[in-house]
Amino acid sequence: MPTRRTAHRHMPTRGRSAAALAALVLAASAAVVPAYATETPGTSPSAARACAPDAHVTGYSDALDKRTLDGVGIGGLSALAYDSRNRAWASVMDHSPSARLWFFTRPEDPRATGTLVLRQPDGTPYGNNFDGEGLTVLPGGDYLVSSETEPSIRIFGRDGVERDRLEVPDRFRVAPDGEASFNATLEGLTVSPDGRSVYAAMEGALSGDAPASGEARDRRILVYRADRHGKYRLDRQIGYQVDAGNRVAEVTAYGRTGLLVLESWWQEGVGNKIKVYGVPDIRRPVDVSRTANLSTVPAGELATKKLVVDVTSCPTGGATNPGPQINPLLDNYEGMAVTPLPGRHGAATLRLISDDNLTSTQVTRLLTLTVHLPTAAKQVIAAH
């Protein structure tokens, strides 16, 4: 897993100068793709756009791909969150010469509106020592951003200056300081709709969680709870098992107890596979903070997941891709956001954004789907 991930996501960009990266971003022209509705003869448009098990593609756009704003190239987008104060969507730039957030409007046909450089407490900009992966906007307006470098979870003010950090257990640090693998740490980050909980998910497994034989498929998710002063304290850890060969690329909280998990698979020369699962009740898994090896935990004590959408099975909608893909609609989707649809119990708009790794063989794409979110049993009963 670490070798595959390194070859895929960061090897093309590491070692390049800022000028070289900027030249690469400027080299390709952007393709603006409007929302689409494919239709196959003899079928309704909704049937033609269906994805397993109960989802539909609404549209996609490549309008941000290889674009620039004020001379800065847009790319490497690795998260997706709505910033109500800016009335714009936000994303964090993955491992780049300057750590920054990007803001844009209208995901169906996005236009960049601004950028925010992330800075250390003394005002010095973060650079290659910061590998932004997860982003969420806290109730007070601050930005919570995870970096895979240490890993870390930092709180930035709206001026981009670091204000605080959340606790990350020592065993989550990259080896040899801890049990995490390089480039496979805190990839997913989200805050619950009520603002009381923060979830930070490991992309890969800790070395101590490996089974005696076979693939290590269990991942840890850190759960933080807000105290009476609004500070997030580490509360517990829960276990989640990915499908064989997959990694956790993102998590997004929904409802009172739900958590979406974006699982991703990649193989050189083949491309990506993407699935989104829903954990209906994130309160149910046991606390595994004191568990030395997750592979010893009974399956019933891990998070229970249900498939929400297999994006790999979606129709292409006429999409193209500059690199090899099983489905040209796919790419390295690493950001995810969900918005419930009013008056439609369980229905929601799901948005995914891809990280092009600042290469010409990948694309920055915003994909929009309509999905059905699995709900905890007691919530379903209460709703009726």
Side-chain angles (χ1 to χ4, degrees), residues 129-375:
N129 58 332
F130 191 93
D131 185 3
E133 294 291 352
L135 165 69
T136 194
V137 183
L138 297 177
D142 288 339
Y143 303 107
L144 191 65
V145 185
S146 62
S147 168
E148 279 195 310
T149 306
E150 305 94 344
S152 66
I153 305 174
R154 295 177 171 93
I155 299 176
F156 295 91
R158 298 191 67 79
D159 58 358
V161 178
E162 181 182 334
R163 299 180 56 182
D164 203 355
R165 296 191 184 197
L166 302 192
E167 174 194 358
V168 176
D170 288 341
R171 70 179 299 191
F172 284 69
R173 298 184 68 81
V174 174
D177 298 323
E179 300 176 18
S181 298
F182 170 74
N183 204 30
T185 64
L186 294 177
E187 186 87 8
L189 187 66
T190 185
V191 64
S192 60
D194 63 10
R196 297 177 182 175
S197 301
V198 164
Y199 305 95
M202 290 290 288
E203 175 182 9
L206 297 179
S207 59
D209 289 332
S213 62
E215 177 188 353
R217 293 170 53 191
D218 297 318
R219 306 293 188 265
R220 291 179 185 257
I221 300 176
L222 298 173
V223 182
Y224 300 83
R225 292 285 291 176
D227 63 19
R228 65 179 64 184
H229 304 292
K231 292 183 68 69
Y232 291 94
R233 310 291 185 183
L234 185 58
D235 181 63
R236 62 194 180 104
Q237 300 176 28
I238 59 176
Y240 175 91
Q241 188 173 92
V242 298
D243 291 353
N246 284 1
R247 63 185 182 92
V248 173
E250 183 61 292
V251 292
T252 299
Y254 68 91
R256 285 184 289 171
T257 64
L259 188 72
L260 290 181
V261 181
L262 173 60
E263 294 191 21
S264 178
W265 175 95
W266 178 84
Q267 182 175 320
E268 187 173 1
V270 178
N272 297 90
K273 292 180 182 178
I274 302 291
K275 288 184 177 181
V276 177
Y277 285 94
V279 178
D281 193 347
I282 201 65
R283 302 167 302 180
R284 193 194 62 80
V286 301
D287 182 6
V288 295
S289 300
R290 298 182 181 276
T291 301
N293 190 325
L294 269 185
S295 69
T296 65
V297 176
E301 297 183 358
L302 302 177
T304 299
K305 67 182 188 180
K306 180 179 180 181
L307 183 63
V308 172
V309 58
D310 178 0
V311 185
T312 314
S313 71
C314 291
T316 68
T320 61
N321 198 291
Q325 288 290 346
I326 300 170
N327 179 340
L329 183 67
L330 298 184
D331 210 283
N332 182 36
Y333 291 113
E334 289 197 340
M336 176 171 62
V338 65
T339 306
L341 291 172
R344 297 174 61 184
H345 179 69
T349 297
L350 178 68
R351 294 181 173 92
L352 305 178
I353 193 168
S354 62
D355 173 3
D356 71 345
N357 287 309
L358 302 177
T359 70
S360 60
T361 57
Q362 292 178 271
V363 62
T364 298
R365 175 169 291 161
L366 264 159
L367 176 64
T368 305
L369 307 102
T370 299
V371 300
H372 185 83
L373 303 176
T375 311

